Amino acid sequence: MSPLETIRQEKIGSLGEDNGIPELNGRGCGVDRHCVFVKNGCHEKIYVVAHFEPMNGPWVFKGWWNIPGNSKKFIINDAKNAAIFFHAETAFGKIVWGDPEKKWAFDNGLFAFGKEIMPDNVLFYTMVFDCNSGVATTALYKGAEPVV
Protein backbone atom coordinates (compact mmCIF):
# COMPACT_ATOMS: atom_id res chain seq x y z
CA MET A 1 0.00 0.00 0.00
CA SER A 2 1.35 3.44 -0.95
CA PRO A 3 1.91 6.11 1.75
CA LEU A 4 -1.03 8.14 0.38
CA GLU A 5 -3.30 5.10 0.40
CA THR A 6 -2.25 4.46 4.00
CA ILE A 7 -3.14 8.05 4.96
CA ARG A 8 -6.53 7.70 3.25
CA GLN A 9 -7.26 4.42 5.01
CA GLU A 10 -6.39 6.00 8.35
CA LYS A 11 -8.75 8.91 7.62
CA ILE A 12 -11.53 6.58 6.56
CA GLY A 13 -10.97 4.49 9.66
CA SER A 14 -11.03 7.50 11.99
CA LEU A 15 -13.95 9.30 10.35
CA GLY A 16 -16.14 6.39 9.32
CA GLU A 17 -17.40 5.56 5.84
CA ASP A 18 -19.07 8.95 5.34
CA ASN A 19 -15.90 10.82 6.35
CA GLY A 20 -17.65 13.56 8.30
CA ILE A 21 -20.22 14.48 5.66
CA PRO A 22 -22.55 17.22 6.98
CA GLU A 23 -26.30 16.95 7.22
CA LEU A 24 -28.34 18.82 4.63
CA ASN A 25 -30.72 20.44 7.06
CA GLY A 26 -32.15 23.40 5.15
CA ARG A 27 -29.67 25.89 6.58
CA GLY A 28 -30.27 28.49 3.88
CA CYS A 29 -28.18 27.40 0.91
CA GLY A 30 -27.86 30.27 -1.55
CA VAL A 31 -26.58 33.83 -1.59
CA ASP A 32 -24.50 33.81 1.60
CA ARG A 33 -24.10 30.08 2.23
CA HIS A 34 -22.86 27.74 -0.49
CA CYS A 35 -23.79 24.06 -0.29
CA VAL A 36 -21.61 21.66 -2.23
CA PHE A 37 -22.05 18.12 -3.53
CA VAL A 38 -19.48 15.89 -5.24
CA LYS A 39 -20.53 13.51 -7.99
CA ASN A 40 -18.20 10.68 -8.87
CA GLY A 41 -18.66 9.83 -12.55
CA CYS A 42 -16.13 7.03 -12.31
CA HIS A 43 -16.76 3.34 -11.79
CA GLU A 44 -14.20 3.27 -8.98
CA LYS A 45 -13.93 5.12 -5.68
CA ILE A 46 -12.40 8.61 -5.62
CA TYR A 47 -11.00 10.64 -2.75
CA VAL A 48 -11.74 14.37 -2.52
CA VAL A 49 -10.26 17.27 -0.53
CA ALA A 50 -11.70 20.80 -0.47
CA HIS A 51 -10.07 24.07 0.61
CA PHE A 52 -12.65 26.72 1.47
CA GLU A 53 -13.68 29.47 3.88
CA PRO A 54 -16.43 28.31 6.25
CA MET A 55 -19.08 30.65 7.66
CA ASN A 56 -17.53 30.70 11.14
CA GLY A 57 -13.79 30.83 10.66
CA PRO A 58 -10.65 31.02 8.54
CA TRP A 59 -9.92 28.97 5.42
CA VAL A 60 -9.74 25.22 6.05
CA PHE A 61 -8.84 21.99 4.29
CA LYS A 62 -11.41 19.19 4.65
CA GLY A 63 -11.21 15.64 3.34
CA TRP A 64 -10.44 12.94 2.42
CA TRP A 65 -14.06 12.24 1.47
CA ASN A 66 -14.49 8.74 0.16
CA ILE A 67 -16.96 8.89 -2.79
CA PRO A 68 -17.95 5.45 -4.17
CA GLY A 69 -18.12 4.93 -7.93
CA ASN A 70 -21.11 6.43 -9.76
CA SER A 71 -22.46 8.12 -6.65
CA LYS A 72 -23.00 11.58 -5.23
CA LYS A 73 -22.45 12.93 -1.72
CA PHE A 74 -23.16 16.18 0.08
CA ILE A 75 -19.87 17.43 1.55
CA ILE A 76 -20.09 21.12 2.54
CA ASN A 77 -22.97 23.09 4.02
CA ASP A 78 -21.23 26.26 5.17
CA ALA A 79 -18.92 27.70 2.50
CA LYS A 80 -18.85 31.47 2.94
CA ASN A 81 -16.67 32.42 -0.01
CA ALA A 82 -17.66 31.70 -3.62
CA ALA A 83 -14.18 30.29 -4.30
CA ILE A 84 -13.54 26.65 -3.43
CA PHE A 85 -10.45 24.65 -4.34
CA PHE A 86 -10.75 20.90 -5.01
CA HIS A 87 -8.30 18.05 -5.27
CA ALA A 88 -9.56 14.60 -6.24
CA GLU A 89 -7.96 11.34 -7.28
CA THR A 90 -8.72 7.71 -7.80
CA ALA A 91 -7.11 5.09 -5.60
CA PHE A 92 -3.31 5.13 -5.92
CA GLY A 93 -3.49 8.40 -7.94
CA LYS A 94 -4.23 6.76 -11.30
CA ILE A 95 -6.34 9.80 -12.30
CA VAL A 96 -5.81 13.14 -10.55
CA TRP A 97 -7.91 16.32 -10.81
CA GLY A 98 -6.32 19.63 -9.87
CA ASP A 99 -4.16 22.38 -11.33
CA PRO A 100 -0.50 21.29 -11.20
CA GLU A 101 0.43 24.99 -10.82
CA LYS A 102 -1.57 25.28 -7.55
CA LYS A 103 -0.07 22.81 -5.11
CA TRP A 104 -0.65 23.02 -1.37
CA ALA A 105 0.52 20.97 1.56
CA PHE A 106 -2.24 18.88 3.12
CA ASP A 107 -2.19 15.73 5.21
CA ASN A 108 1.58 15.14 4.90
CA GLY A 109 1.60 15.55 1.12
CA LEU A 110 1.69 18.15 -1.65
CA PHE A 111 -1.47 18.16 -3.78
CA ALA A 112 -2.70 20.02 -6.88
CA PHE A 113 -5.95 21.95 -6.35
CA GLY A 114 -8.29 23.32 -9.02
CA LYS A 115 -10.19 26.54 -8.32
CA GLU A 116 -13.96 26.77 -8.74
CA ILE A 117 -16.01 29.95 -8.44
CA MET A 118 -19.61 29.38 -7.43
CA PRO A 119 -22.19 31.91 -8.63
CA ASP A 120 -24.12 33.62 -5.85
CA ASN A 121 -27.53 32.86 -7.34
CA VAL A 122 -27.46 29.06 -6.95
CA LEU A 123 -28.80 26.95 -4.11
CA PHE A 124 -26.68 23.87 -4.74
CA TYR A 125 -23.31 23.39 -6.39
CA THR A 126 -22.17 20.00 -7.67
CA MET A 127 -18.57 19.24 -8.58
CA VAL A 128 -18.51 16.36 -11.09
CA PHE A 129 -15.38 14.23 -11.55
CA ASP A 130 -15.36 12.04 -14.67
CA CYS A 131 -12.87 9.22 -15.22
CA ASN A 132 -13.57 8.81 -18.93
CA SER A 133 -12.42 12.31 -19.82
CA GLY A 134 -10.28 12.99 -16.75
CA VAL A 135 -12.09 16.35 -16.55
CA ALA A 136 -13.89 17.99 -13.65
CA THR A 137 -17.07 19.91 -14.49
CA THR A 138 -19.79 21.66 -12.51
CA ALA A 139 -23.56 21.50 -12.28
CA LEU A 140 -25.44 24.45 -10.82
CA TYR A 141 -29.03 24.38 -9.56
CA LYS A 142 -31.16 27.37 -8.58
CA GLY A 143 -33.98 25.16 -7.30
CA ALA A 144 -34.09 21.87 -5.50
CA GLU A 145 -31.10 19.59 -6.00
CA PRO A 146 -32.13 16.95 -8.54
CA VAL A 147 -31.95 13.29 -7.61
CA VAL A 148 -29.06 11.52 -9.32
Side-chain angles (χ1 to χ4, degrees):
M1 189 177 314
S2 74
L4 290 180
E5 187 66 15
T6 302
I7 290 169
R8 288 188 200 99
Q9 291 303 320
E10 289 170 2
K11 290 292 179 191
I12 291 166
S14 65
L15 295 173
E17 188 61 27
D18 284 341
N19 296 322
I21 293 171
E23 294 294 320
L24 179 58
N25 56 11
R27 288 181 42 184
C29 299
V31 175
D32 63 345
R33 181 184 299 272
H34 299 281
C35 294
V36 181
F37 290 78
V38 169
K39 181 176 181 183
N40 178 0
C42 304
H43 66 279
E44 64 182 279
K45 183 184 334 183
I46 64 171
Y47 300 93
V48 178
V49 176
H51 181 52
F52 67 98
E53 183 180 19
M55 295 300 292
N56 62 351
W59 284 78
V60 296
F61 287 97
K62 287 197 177 176
W64 297 92
W65 286 293
N66 169 359
I67 315 294
N70 298 307
S71 70
K72 181 176 176 178
K73 285 194 177 181
F74 180 59
I75 61 167
I76 299 170
N77 67 354
D78 68 340
K80 176 180 178 182
N81 193 312
I84 294 185
F85 297 84
F86 288 97
H87 171 85
E89 59 185 73
T90 57
F92 306 107
K94 186 171 116 185
I95 300 174
V96 176
W97 295 270
D99 181 347
E101 300 298 317
K102 289 188 181 96
K103 289 190 177 181
W104 287 323
F106 171 76
D107 211 11
N108 297 318
L110 194 60
F111 301 95
F113 282 79
K115 182 178 183 179
E116 294 296 322
I117 302 291
M118 298 179 294
D120 285 336
N121 63 346
V122 300
L123 291 178
F124 299 99
Y125 185 86
T126 300
M127 193 70 203
V128 182
F129 297 97
D130 179 39
C131 282
N132 293 328
S133 65
V135 173
T137 58
T138 59
L140 308 172
Y141 302 101
K142 293 182 182 178
E145 176 70 11
V147 176
V148 176

